[in-house]
Amino acid sequence: MPSGSPLDLPAPLAAWFAARGWSPRSHQLDMLREARGGNHALLVAATGAGKTLAGFLPTLAELIETPAEGLHTLYVSPLKALAVDIQRNLMAPIAEMGVDISVETRTGDTSSDKKARQRVKPPQILLTTPESLSLLLSYPDTFTMFAGLRTIVVDEVHAFATGKRGDLLSLCMARLQRIAPGLRRVALSATVADPDGYRAWLAPDGDIGAVSLVHGQAGADAKITILLPEGRVPWSGHSGRYAAEQVMAEIAAHRTTIVFCNTRSLAELIFQDLWKVNVDGLPIGVHHGSLAKEARAKVEGAMAEGRLRALVATASLDLGVDWGDVDCVIQMGAPKGSSRLLQRIGRANHRLDEASEAIVVPGNRFEYLEARAALDAVDAGELDPDLFRPGALDVLAQHVMACACAAPFTRDALLDEVRSALPYSALSDDVFERVLGFIRDGGYSLRAYDKFKRLVEEEDGTWRVSHPKFVGQHRLNAGIIVEATMLDVRFRNGRNLGRVEEAFASQLSAGDTFFFAGLSLEVEKIDLTDLIVRATSRPARIPTYGGSRMPLSTSLADRVRGFLADPSEWPRFPDDVREWLEYQTARSVLPQPGQLLVETFPREGRHYMVAYSFEGWNAHQSLGMLVTRRMETQGLKPLGFVANDYAIACYGLEKVIDPASLFSADILEHEFVDWVQQSHLLKRAFREVAVIGGLVERQHPGKRKTGKQVTFSTDLIYDVLRKYEPTHLLLQAAWDDARAKMTDVGRLAHLLDRAAETMLHVDLDRITPLAVPVLTLIGRERVSTAGGDDALLVEAEALAAEAMRLD
């Protein structure tokens, strides 16, 4: 028989396939062949194609053919829920084969007793997460534990390889490769746009040629539809909450449905909306990362056992979890990217030969176009681009400390090891020296304090931990995910008005005004975790509907632009969406691809400027802060701004005559730097890198610090470093985070670079149809009563009526 035939399988495996009437898929046998050749491999295969079995097949075959004690295979998942699900789905086949192979999980939910036992007597297959693996590598006995490791399998590699968790895992793999030189690396994914980028990330020393690329066979095309409201497509909103009754009807018509939401707060709202219209009392649940582990486990168990008809979830269930009875996925609001939509669709059916069914519920008219763009991208096989960047220095500092906790090291040997991880392959000697210096004594400004002296360098050049207490401190506090905190909004007299996301509050400076709890408030100061305000008669300039949002991908934004510029596409759209675009053409213009359309018009004593830049909410939110500052300096008396994924609208008392001057590229050199330094944005970024880098601990033995205590500690250190050591390693890392992650500065810079050459300014006498969705957001901030939704509906219809007149 040719190589790769089923006869290559050990008898128990072959019998297991035969008992089900199955044959191994070609890519599963390809993965087995690569393993027997000792090759690293990246498998890209559709959801339902048996990726997990393909990843484990070589391990099962080898352990059946040559049983061996000790840890053989390490499986790394981005989610604890996925690790548990894989264990459940792997144990059943092993039991059915009648073979003796041990499989266990090790995550933050694993008991300390079990973790201690695993280091002494590990299972043959261990399922874990990047953070738990990093902690495991901080123990001296892991040199023995991992000495015989044969394979590491990285599942859903696209979910974290390009971020800080990927940096950490890459460093962990570099360490494992030094402990077990024969280690074979495997990665699995369904949605990879740049396979070569991931091959380089996966390979030791970035040697792309060392990693074989295995493609899975194509599955049935997904069946995706866009749910349209019983009335008209809404002018504004981004949640699809208007469709609760229609969504509930879809749930009733299917066996099991997962309803995906883009944020945790929206998941809670959608769950409540569905429960109110759940007249049949169907069992439904909610699942997101903020829930207690007991609550998550209860819901996951109910889904696995088929006891739920629907589960409202966030990205906590995006990846890999295999519940075979799920036959429908509903996406509330636009998915923001074709890769994300494909990943979520894959939760339905999990069978390669059957079409997954999915329904997208757009929140507004722009989101209808975005949903249509996502469907077209899926049909075309177009995925969102994967953006790799240099490894983060705070992550490197944490890893170096973990290595020191396990055993002393020499500088050159560790640097060589670190450089074998792709994100750090270009790390300079000088920067690595600064990282070591930071861990040794905290840096020039902090070296007088013993609490920061975690490492010492011996005369022979060996580095070791300076005191055992720092080992325990590291293991208690290590981790990449820093919990987001909320700030209390209160008056100076102590009266509490509620809470806002720190991400929003960190952008504010004293004197800024915003709407909250139905009031226009002026910021007096930010005091640790309190936002101190006072009521003001000044109009609110800054919107409060912030919070973390998924950015609109550039590829979907480009497709939406293409729709606007190509009327031949419009017959595919609902009548009211097509009418909206036709009226915009008659009243103004529609932007061409690559063009920055800016409209100006008066309304009710104010002057408005709307720029249609399609760079996503994050970039637009930052741009709004910067443009209104520049408007202030130009005497335009700005009153505020609002933004969505597609446009930004600024409004003030004076007419904008020259919008080009507000969008010049030097805004990033002047207003941006001033804004970041005057706001708490940099302080917030510093807090994250200080925690990840180990400068500030979140936990002491038996006690966890409050968010307020962590904030107090990091703010003190931040102020010292800003004054005495502005070039400190962690300040540099904080700047990198603030620029890249919190403001989406790359897309912002791209917009400003092209603004001068591509701007088309259209001055009008009143609002246009294209401006209605973003201007409706202004009304949202003024409404906080129970009848708020009705009031906003009236406001949107009034704006639309004005915009859609052709006289």
Side-chain angles (χ1 to χ4, degrees):
M1 297 291 292
S3 175
S5 75
L7 293 183
D8 285 334
L9 296 176
L13 265 172
W16 182 78
F17 275 104
R20 281 153 185 75
W22 297 348
S23 296
R25 299 190 186 277
S26 59
H27 57 273
Q28 293 171 336
L29 294 175
D30 287 342
M31 292 295 284
L32 180 61
R33 189 160 41 247
E34 295 296 342
R36 288 177 170 168
N39 301 322
H40 309 288
L42 168 65
L43 170 62
V44 180
T47 298
K51 287 193 305 298
T52 302
L53 182 56
F56 282 112
L57 193 62
T59 294
L60 297 176
E62 190 168 330
L63 287 174
I64 291 171
E65 291 170 341
T66 56
E69 293 295 322
L71 183 59
H72 179 286
T73 293
L74 193 63
Y75 165 91
V76 182
S77 153
L79 299 175
K80 290 184 282 189
L82 182 52
V84 172
D85 185 66
I86 293 295
Q87 182 190 28
R88 181 170 52 239
N89 292 329
L90 192 57
M91 291 301 293
I94 289 174
E96 291 163 359
M97 291 177 207
V99 294
D100 185 17
I101 297 175
S102 56
V103 182
E104 294 180 6
T105 60
R106 184 188 182 95
T107 71
D109 293 341
T110 306
S111 69
S112 56
D113 290 345
K114 186 175 182 180
K115 288 180 178 179
R117 193 265 302 154
Q118 286 174 340
R119 299 203 317 272
V120 177
K121 185 175 174 55
Q124 290 161 302
I125 300 175
L126 183 63
L127 316 175
T128 189
T129 60
E131 291 80 7
S132 290
L133 173 58
S134 176
L135 278 173
L136 192 53
L137 286 168
S138 72
Y139 288 90
D141 49 15
T142 51
F143 289 96
T144 303
M145 178 181 179
F146 290 116
L149 185 65
R150 299 292 300 275
T151 303
I152 181 170
V153 179
V154 182
D155 201 359
E156 307 290 359
V157 64
H158 67 277
F160 53 94
T162 58
K164 285 191 176 184
R165 299 183 78 202
D167 295 343
L168 183 66
L169 180 55
S170 185
L171 291 166
C172 288
M173 287 195 296
R175 168 123 294 212
L176 289 171
Q177 202 79 48
R178 292 298 186 265
I179 298 173
L183 174 66
R184 199 174 65 88
R185 304 182 183 190
V186 174
L188 315 173
S189 180
T191 50
V192 165
D194 179 16
D196 286 348
Y198 284 96
R199 289 170 66 200
W201 179 88
L202 183 65
D205 298 306
D207 180 10
I208 189 173
V211 179
S212 300
L213 177 61
V214 177
H215 284 287
Q217 62 193 89
D221 292 336
K223 178 186 175 184
I224 315 174
T225 57
I226 300 175
L227 186 149
L228 296 176
E230 295 170 351
R232 296 168 66 83
V233 179
W235 285 97
S236 64
H238 64 274
S239 65
R241 293 179 64 190
Y242 64 85
E245 291 189 0
Q246 293 171 272
V247 170
M248 200 66 224
E250 294 292 343
I251 292 171
H254 291 85
R255 294 190 305 272
T256 310
T257 301
I258 299 181
V259 181
F260 277 111
C261 303
N262 290 342
T263 65
R264 297 175 183 182
S265 59
L266 179 57
E268 292 286 353
L269 290 173
I270 293 296
F271 175 74
Q272 295 297 327
D273 290 342
L274 292 177
W275 193 253
K276 290 175 184 176
V277 298
N278 185 12
V279 294
D280 296 326
L282 299 178
I284 62 176
V286 62
H287 187 287
H288 56 73
S290 293
L291 296 175
K293 67 178 182 181
E294 294 82 8
R296 295 197 310 270
K298 182 178 179 180
V299 169
E300 292 162 13
M303 280 292 285
E305 295 166 12
R307 292 188 280 113
L308 290 181
R309 291 294 298 276
L311 184 60
V312 181
T314 61
S316 60
L317 293 183
D318 268 6
L319 306 169
V321 179
D322 185 2
W323 288 317
D325 208 36
V326 174
D327 60 337
C328 181
V329 164
I330 298 178
Q331 166 66 43
M332 302 301 294
K336 303 303 171 189
S338 57
S339 296
R340 183 176 296 111
L341 179 60
L342 266 178
Q343 194 69 44
R344 291 181 169 180
I345 292 170
R347 301 311 105 218
N349 279 338
H350 253 77
R351 287 180 287 275
L352 194 64
D353 54 351
E354 294 185 21
S356 297
E357 183 176 351
I359 301 170
V360 181
V361 184
N364 58 58
R365 298 182 181 199
F366 265 123
E367 283 204 349
Y368 172 84
L369 298 179
E370 185 185 330
R372 174 57 57 192
L375 268 60
D376 288 356
V378 169
D379 289 342
E382 177 186 291
L383 299 176
D384 302 319
D386 303 306
L387 304 176
F388 292 87
R389 84 280 180 273
L393 298 180
D394 51 339
V395 176
L396 177 58
Q398 184 179 125
H399 177 73
V400 170
M401 188 63 192
C403 293
C405 291
F409 63 84
T410 61
R411 175 195 177 281
D412 290 346
L414 185 59
L415 177 56
D416 182 60
E417 176 185 311
V418 165
R419 283 175 174 164
S420 70
L422 181 69
Y424 299 93
S425 57
L427 185 70
S428 68
D429 287 32
D430 175 66
V431 171
F432 187 65
E433 201 68 46
R434 291 176 63 200
V435 171
L436 288 178
F438 158 66
I439 308 172
R440 179 187 59 218
D441 54 29
Y444 171 79
S445 299
L446 303 175
R447 63 180 51 161
Y449 303 93
D450 289 342
K451 65 178 294 184
F452 302 119
K453 296 178 179 178
R454 293 179 286 164
L455 290 184
V456 293
E457 183 180 11
E458 305 287 7
E459 291 184 2
D460 64 356
T462 300
W463 291 74
R464 63 170 177 82
V465 178
S466 61
H467 191 280
K469 68 179 181 182
F470 290 116
V471 176
Q473 177 180 308
H474 172 81
R475 292 178 184 149
L476 271 177
N477 292 280
I480 299 303
I481 301 172
V482 180
E483 295 178 2
T485 58
M486 302 286 286
L487 272 68
D488 290 320
V489 181
R490 64 177 179 85
F491 292 129
R492 186 175 291 278
N493 65 9
R495 178 189 167 194
N496 196 309
L497 300 175
R499 311 180 82 196
V500 296
E501 302 92 342
E502 186 189 31
F504 167 72
S506 65
Q507 301 177 54
L508 303 176
S509 302
D512 284 337
T513 53
F514 65 100
F515 273 113
F516 187 75
L519 300 171
S520 182
L521 302 174
E522 180 180 335
V523 177
E524 291 193 347
K525 65 176 180 176
I526 298 179
D527 181 13
L528 295 181
T529 56
D530 291 332
L531 182 59
I532 310 300
V533 299
R534 65 183 177 190
T536 179
S537 58
R538 294 170 55 202
R541 178 180 297 182
I542 299 163
T544 61
Y545 49 87
S548 58
R549 290 190 183 180
M550 295 177 175
L552 172 68
S553 72
T554 54
S555 56
L556 285 196
D558 289 343
R559 282 184 174 270
V560 172
R561 283 174 168 275
F563 288 158
L564 298 181
D566 185 1
S568 68
E569 292 278 2
W570 299 358
R572 303 167 60 197
F573 307 155
D575 290 344
D576 48 353
V577 174
R578 184 171 61 253
E579 179 187 53
W580 171 53
L581 300 180
E582 290 170 348
Y583 270 66
Q584 172 67 21
T585 303
R587 286 276 295 110
S588 178
V589 297
L590 283 164
Q592 296 296 307
Q595 188 178 65
L596 176 61
L597 171 63
V598 177
E599 294 179 332
T600 52
F601 50 83
R603 188 174 190 272
E604 296 183 348
R606 296 178 177 180
H607 291 277
Y608 290 83
M609 176 186 69
V610 183
Y612 304 93
S613 42
F614 296 87
E615 294 297 347
W617 185 89
N618 293 332
H620 291 163
Q621 185 74 358
S622 300
L623 184 61
M625 303 289 287
L626 301 178
V627 168
T628 51
R629 284 172 178 262
R630 181 160 285 194
M631 289 173 69
E632 189 79 59
T633 62
Q634 292 186 8
L636 296 175
K637 302 177 183 177
L639 297 175
F641 76 93
V642 286
N644 57 21
D645 277 319
Y646 320 99
I648 173 178
C650 300
Y651 49 97
L653 298 178
E654 300 292 337
K655 182 176 180 178
V656 175
I657 304 297
D658 179 22
S661 66
L662 299 174
F663 290 86
S664 60
D666 64 353
I667 202 170
L668 289 180
E669 300 173 17
H670 304 298
E671 282 87 348
F672 177 80
V673 175
D674 291 342
W675 167 46
V676 171
Q677 291 182 340
Q678 291 176 23
S679 71
H680 279 242
L681 194 66
L682 197 56
K683 274 192 175 182
R684 176 174 179 251
F686 179 80
R687 186 180 318 135
E688 290 195 7
V689 300
V691 168
I692 293 172
L695 190 66
V696 174
E697 62 272 13
R698 289 173 281 191
Q699 294 194 105
H700 295 295
K703 183 180 180 181
R704 185 175 182 85
K705 278 187 176 182
T706 66
K708 195 166 188 174
Q709 289 170 324
V710 172
T711 299
F712 181 73
S713 299
T714 54
D715 283 3
L716 280 177
I717 296 172
Y718 172 84
D719 290 338
V720 169
L721 296 182
R722 280 289 306 277
K723 184 174 182 179
Y724 296 107
E725 195 177 354
T727 59
H728 190 276
L729 181 82
L730 289 192
L731 284 180
Q732 175 187 333
W735 257 108
D736 291 342
D737 271 13
R739 289 176 61 87
K741 184 176 70 175
M742 299 176 188
T743 63
D744 216 347
V745 73
R747 295 181 71 169
L748 189 56
H750 176 67
L751 163 64
L752 295 173
D753 284 344
R754 72 172 194 270
E757 295 181 359
T758 66
M759 181 178 292
L760 172 62
H761 177 202
V762 181
D763 189 37
L764 301 143
D765 61 350
R766 68 176 187 267
I767 185 175
T768 65
L770 208 61
V772 172
V774 68
L775 258 64
T776 304
L777 298 176
I778 298 174
R780 177 182 301 173
E781 298 316 309
R782 302 176 186 274
V783 176
S784 63
T785 63
D789 287 345
D790 292 337
L792 290 177
L793 198 57
V794 171
E795 171 73 9
E797 291 302 326
L799 287 171
E802 182 181 344
M804 300 287 276
R805 289 197 335 262
L806 287 179
D807 58 300

